[in-house]
Amino acid sequence: MQYASCKSVEERPGVQWGELEIGGASEARQSEDDSAVRDPATGAVVGHVPALSADMVGAAVAAAHAAFAGWSGLAPQERGKVLRRLAALIADNSADLASLLTAEQGKPLAEARAEIGSAAAYFDFFAEEARRLDGEIVASPRADSRILVAHKPVGVVAAITPWNFPASMVARKLAPALAAGCTVVLKPAPQTPLTALAIAALAREAGVPEGALQVVTGDAATIGAVLTRDPRVAMLSFTGSTATGRRLYEQCAGTIKKLGLELGGHAPFIVFPDADLDKAAAAAVAAKFRNAGQTCVCPNRFFVHAEIYEAFLERFLREVDRLVPGDGRDPKSTLAPLIDVAALAKVERHVADALARGATLTRGGRPAAIGGTWYEATVLENVDAEMLVSCEETFGPVAAISRFSDIGEVKAQVNASPYGLAGYVFGRDISTLLKTAESLDLGMVGINAVHLGLEMAPIGGVKQSGLGREGGHAGLLDYCEQQYLLIGV
Ligand code: NAP
């Protein structure tokens, strides 16, 4: 079934899946405002999705609200079974889903396959976690009363996701929200709605009831206004830029919604003199250039100790020189295009700013020869704290490297940032590594490791990188409210 849906993406997938998921889709089918989803590698149209009116988004909220009693009323084990089936369906369809993901997002197929695997793993993990919605009995100070604390699903969740991980960002929200008993209205990014719609189609197949998961597409401001202001929406779970997160936070104030915000990052990557340099350089390049640097946890700033600077750089450049920009469907391609021309322009601005302020260009520094929105794998040296690459998320294939002698200065620079999502430290002395990690104001630190996005771990940031955690038991509880019951006996 959904396999057929996946194949029909080349025709008009958004309308088909829109019809499946959205009340009033026959109107959407006739809409002249369908927006095209384009392949960033070729510019070809991959599919269309409807632009829903505010009323239609309101209808999706109403449907999710109506479905809440039934879905939350199921035993957690029953919800778990549905989610486990969904994980299996995603795994069974992983080849098609990965092709779809690459077609609309551009990343190499190997990365897309890994992402689909991660999405399935989130559903599988939360299928199991659903049964652990335990409460507690608190010791009462009085003999004539008992204190019970229960976890209840918050209600209807509005989920808004970005384009850089079209499957795993969606799964990270849907899996815990549905496991907790919430119903969801999901707004995927306009660049990559098809993977989200395919996952929603599979969710229906797995047994997520009608209404419990709605996907809405169209104008962000229109959809956002409804989702943030409708009192029937109890929680907003948003992943995207800090600027948009801030705006949505303000919009949610009117109805005091619960918030989960996964926002921008600006990760430091610190290499101590005793690091295994081969391992550190390979990990640094993998983390920096995955998805062409368009990941929230990708290192934006490299701090390499002066004693091993040249030795690290030599290894780092060797890895960088192996990167091959190209169409994600070509197995040789390891460097994705940027998502669109605006992303390309931002990278160009960051590189131009760094060079104007005295950075040295060691590799790359211009759009790639193959054209489109590819940008060369770029390495900048002699980077200082004032440059844009040191202050903002570049979100592109640009490694900005500086050398350090005093780790205290590095910590001060890292902690001066308004962002606090992720960071990395490489070395051998565990005491130095642990103390450094603990001293950094970051939600996540990889210590001699870079792949942080594991479903059983709490993903999230501090400061202006967000609120709440996705993944792990904390990720489930974020979709719950506590209810305290005082019982007289
Ligand atoms: P974005 O521009 O903030 O957009 C994210 C989503 O929000 C899109 O679906 C977008 O739709 C929507 N949106 C924008 N304005 C809205 C509004 N007024 N009302 C409702 N929805 C609205 O971010 P992006 O460029 O897609 O994603 C990249 C950012 O996400 C980076 O900063 C990255 O660090 C961050 N990110 C963070 C994490 C994490 O776990 N912390 C993970 C991945 C990405 P439109 O495009 O239609 O406006």
Side-chain angles (χ1 to χ4, degrees):
M1 77 70 335
Q2 69 291 336
Y3 205 73
S5 301
C6 286
K7 289 207 161 132
S8 69
V9 73
E10 274 124 48
E11 296 151 32
R12 283 175 70 71
V15 171
Q16 283 209 355
W17 286 328
E19 189 170 33
L20 180 67
E21 299 308 319
I22 301 162
S26 54
E27 292 155 61
R29 183 188 282 282
Q30 286 150 19
S31 166
E32 288 177 5
D33 299 329
D34 288 7
S35 39
V37 178
R38 289 183 183 276
D39 181 335
T42 63
V45 174
V46 186
H48 292 82
V49 289
L52 302 189
S53 65
D55 283 350
M56 292 171 81
V57 178
V61 172
H65 191 249
F68 177 70
W71 180 246
S72 62
L74 287 180
Q77 287 80 353
E78 294 304 312
R79 292 197 298 271
K81 279 184 199 161
V82 173
L83 296 183
R84 202 167 291 116
R85 277 198 294 274
L86 176 52
L89 282 169
I90 291 173
D92 289 349
N93 287 281
S94 60
D96 271 4
L97 288 168
S99 316
L100 177 60
L101 198 161
T102 290
E104 64 176 351
Q105 203 279 334
K107 66 180 64 175
L109 255 181
E111 290 185 27
R113 272 190 224 110
E115 186 182 338
I116 297 298
S118 164
Y122 270 92
F123 285 108
D124 197 49
F125 176 81
F126 282 104
E128 191 58 31
E129 207 58 17
R131 70 175 73 216
R132 287 189 260 282
L133 277 166
D134 304 330
E136 62 179 321
I137 298 174
V138 177
S140 171
R142 301 195 296 250
D144 63 352
S145 67
R146 302 289 182 272
I147 299 169
L148 264 61
V149 181
H151 284 113
K152 298 177 68 177
V154 287
V156 177
V157 172
I160 300 180
T161 51
W163 47 263
N164 59 344
F165 288 89
S168 58
M169 293 300 120
V170 164
R172 262 187 212 176
K173 297 188 187 310
L174 295 190
L178 291 170
C182 300
T183 55
V184 183
V185 180
L186 167 69
K187 184 209 125 18
Q191 298 91 337
T192 59
L194 304 178
T195 306
L197 286 160
I199 290 173
L202 295 177
R204 284 296 301 282
E205 159 112 345
V208 173
E210 194 171 352
L213 171 58
Q214 308 279 317
V215 182
V216 293
T217 53
D219 176 61
T222 304
I223 296 172
V226 176
L227 296 182
T228 54
R229 298 199 171 114
D230 192 316
R232 291 170 298 185
V233 175
M235 173 172 174
L236 171 72
S237 176
F238 170 78
T239 300
S241 62
T242 297
T244 305
R246 191 177 293 119
R247 189 172 322 125
L248 294 173
Y249 198 155
E250 285 170 5
Q251 284 179 213
C252 284
T255 46
I256 316 283
K257 295 197 193 310
K258 198 166 198 279
L259 287 168
L261 301 174
E262 297 291 333
L263 307 177
H266 187 42
F269 191 111
I270 300 167
V271 187
F272 284 103
D274 60 349
D276 175 334
L277 296 184
D278 290 326
K279 191 174 164 188
V285 171
K288 174 69 246 185
F289 294 97
R290 182 167 67 119
N291 201 12
Q294 302 171 110
T295 74
C296 56
V297 294
C298 97
N300 224 57
R301 306 167 280 173
F302 291 85
F303 300 97
V304 181
H305 195 276
E307 279 175 23
I308 42 92
Y309 183 87
E310 302 300 342
F312 172 83
L313 189 70
E314 186 194 330
R315 289 164 173 80
F316 187 84
L317 294 176
R318 208 183 302 142
E319 297 285 335
V320 168
D321 291 340
R322 290 201 184 113
L323 292 169
V324 181
D327 189 313
R329 283 154 291 226
D330 181 341
K332 292 195 291 298
S333 304
T334 49
L335 189 65
L338 293 163
I339 189 70
D340 53 28
V341 289
L344 182 65
K346 182 178 186 190
V347 170
E348 290 189 289
R349 188 161 53 84
H350 275 210
V351 173
D353 170 83
L355 296 179
R357 291 173 192 257
T360 313
L361 183 65
T362 305
R363 285 292 186 280
R366 33 179 205 187
I370 59 169
T373 53
W374 273 275
Y375 195 83
E376 290 180 341
T378 295
V379 179
L380 297 168
E381 291 183 81
N382 299 312
V383 169
D384 71 33
E386 305 305 313
M387 298 171 185
L388 281 178
V389 285
S390 300
C391 310
E392 286 179 20
E393 199 179 19
T394 306
F395 236 53
V398 179
I401 309 186
S402 50
R403 67 182 84 204
F404 76 91
S405 314
D406 176 359
I407 188 62
E409 287 173 13
V410 174
K411 288 179 193 171
Q413 194 181 324
V414 170
N415 288 341
S417 169
Y419 298 104
L421 188 61
Y424 308 90
V425 290
F426 275 69
R428 282 204 174 86
D429 179 53
I430 193 66
S431 169
T432 304
L433 293 171
L434 265 181
K435 283 185 196 154
T436 304
E438 287 167 1
S439 70
L440 299 175
D441 299 335
L442 301 169
M444 304 174 272
V445 182
I447 299 177
N448 292 325
V450 287
H451 296 301
L452 294 163
L454 296 169
E455 64 277 8
M456 60 292 289
I459 307 294
V462 299
K463 300 199 282 188
Q464 293 182 32
S465 287
L467 293 175
R469 293 293 179 267
E470 290 190 327
H473 194 62
L476 181 71
L477 296 184
D478 266 11
Y479 289 93
C480 297
E481 293 285 12
Q482 286 193 332
Q483 187 176 42
Y484 150 49
L485 305 171
L486 178 66
I487 307 167
V489 291

